[in-house]
Amino acid sequence: MHDQASVLRNLASREKHKSKMRVIAVTSGKGGVGKTNFTVNLALALAEYGQRVIILDGDLGLANVDIAFGLTARYTIEHLLSGEKTIEQILLTGPLGIGIIPGGSGVQGLANLEHDQLANVVVNLGRLERMADLLIIDTGAGLGHTVINFLQAADDIIMVITPEPTALTDAYGLLKTLRKEAGEVPIHIVINRVKTEADALATYKRLEVAVSKFLHGSLNLLGWVYDDPLMGRAVMQQVPLGISYPESSAYRCIQWIAGTVTGIYLSPPRQAGGIRGFLSTLLRSF
């Protein structure tokens, strides 16, 4: 794996871009907290702010970003890794020009590329830098090896939690792992399905106190999303909430969060590594 990362760094050094795409990984400590729906609607809200966004579906078990947009993926990242297709050929186009890279189990193939394959993938994924300002990775939930690799390679992490005690326990477990594996990556918390602002703040406070006391770390509250029955209706319709019910309370919260994310992107606390920096770190960790 060290040799593969060295090859990637050499390839990456041949092309330098003044503007680097920012990589944001969206994750959760457990499944069922609304992570993918949040990711899809965050992408829509960011596109409304004028950001060019591409989503990489990095959930190996439940790759369903395309389904959330009402699309069907004919090709996935596996076809890119095999050399059968280019990045442009596998990239789906969603509403507002949002790009979707169908991933599924194919993302694990990044760890097993030969030199010629690696060069092809770097050239293809390198073109994303000209296509988008932000790459959002919808990771799987929990502490899987591939999930941790994605998180430690990202420029920023957004962790979606809910007020349920089990969600908080699992979120703490993931934060404990990230403290060891991805200590330098800023972690932003979004609390989903809250009844009131007070519920959101109380949930965040419980998690923040535990992290400060036992992990000696810090978090950033990015925002919260109200529990909204229209979200469930949008999921059943396979039309993102931001399109089917743009005036809903949940989507207004996500628009507010997107505004904050845009601010982070414009004035980042740490320099973005771009797609090549992301790939270099990712491959080194496999």
Side-chain angles (χ1 to χ4, degrees):
M1 200 64 254
H2 175 74
D3 291 339
Q4 190 189 52
S6 298
V7 170
L8 178 62
R9 283 193 294 273
N10 291 335
L11 289 166
S13 66
R14 296 174 190 172
E15 297 182 43
K16 294 184 179 179
H17 297 268
K18 293 181 180 179
S19 177
K20 291 185 177 179
M21 179 173 63
R22 196 163 194 86
V23 180
I24 299 174
V26 181
T27 193
S28 61
K30 66 186 291 289
V33 300
K35 171 181 58 64
T36 296
N37 289 320
F38 171 78
T39 299
V40 165
N41 285 288
L42 176 66
L44 282 171
L46 287 166
E48 291 173 352
Y49 277 103
Q51 299 297 315
R52 299 174 302 158
V53 182
I54 292 177
I55 303 174
L56 169 59
D57 194 339
D59 192 333
L60 305 187
L62 297 169
N64 55 6
V65 169
D66 55 334
I67 296 172
F69 277 107
L71 302 172
T72 302
R74 185 176 179 183
Y75 305 112
T76 71
I77 200 170
E78 291 182 80
H79 295 92
L80 175 67
L81 301 183
S82 67
E84 296 176 62
K85 300 294 176 183
T86 65
I87 188 66
E88 291 84 359
Q89 289 172 319
I90 72 168
L91 194 66
L92 296 175
T93 302
L96 303 184
I98 295 168
I100 301 122
I101 302 174
S105 59
V107 296
Q108 285 186 318
L110 285 168
N112 304 305
L113 296 179
E114 300 296 333
H115 179 277
D116 291 343
Q117 290 177 306
L118 181 61
N120 176 60
V121 170
V122 170
V123 169
N124 271 273
L125 293 183
R127 293 202 290 272
L128 293 178
E129 205 104 54
R130 298 193 296 270
M131 299 179 193
D133 304 305
L134 293 166
L135 175 66
I136 302 178
I137 303 174
D138 181 35
T139 74
L143 295 167
H145 182 61
T146 302
V147 173
I148 298 301
N149 289 343
F150 276 136
L151 296 179
Q152 65 183 167
D155 294 310
D156 291 277
I157 296 169
I158 296 177
M159 182 178 292
V160 181
I161 68 172
T162 62
E164 285 80 8
T166 53
L168 282 173
T169 300
D170 291 333
Y172 177 81
L174 178 55
L175 287 167
K176 185 176 181 179
T177 299
L178 289 177
R179 177 69 176 165
K180 298 177 182 177
E181 305 291 343
E184 295 183 1
V185 184
I187 300 173
H188 312 278
I189 302 297
V190 170
I191 306 166
N192 197 21
R193 299 174 187 159
V194 301
K195 299 295 184 183
T196 65
E197 177 181 341
D199 288 340
L201 296 176
T203 299
Y204 176 72
K205 188 65 177 179
R206 287 196 296 273
L207 186 61
E208 183 187 39
V209 167
V211 169
S212 176
K213 182 176 181 180
F214 299 109
L215 302 182
H216 308 291
S218 61
L219 303 172
N220 172 49
L221 178 60
L222 194 58
W224 56 85
V225 181
Y226 289 121
D227 193 11
D228 190 337
L230 291 177
M231 178 68 85
R233 192 178 301 178
V235 171
M236 294 301 295
Q237 294 171 347
Q238 291 186 319
V239 179
L241 185 71
I243 294 174
S244 53
Y245 304 104
E247 300 300 319
S248 61
S249 61
Y251 189 63
R252 287 188 176 278
C253 288
I254 294 172
Q255 288 175 311
W256 162 54
I257 291 169
T260 305
V261 171
T262 301
I264 292 171
Y265 163 70
L266 292 175
S267 302
R270 62 201 290 263
Q271 185 177 6
I275 189 65
R276 287 172 174 78
F278 166 74
L279 283 171
S280 181
T281 305
L282 177 66
L283 293 172
R284 216 168 34 239
S285 62
F286 273 109

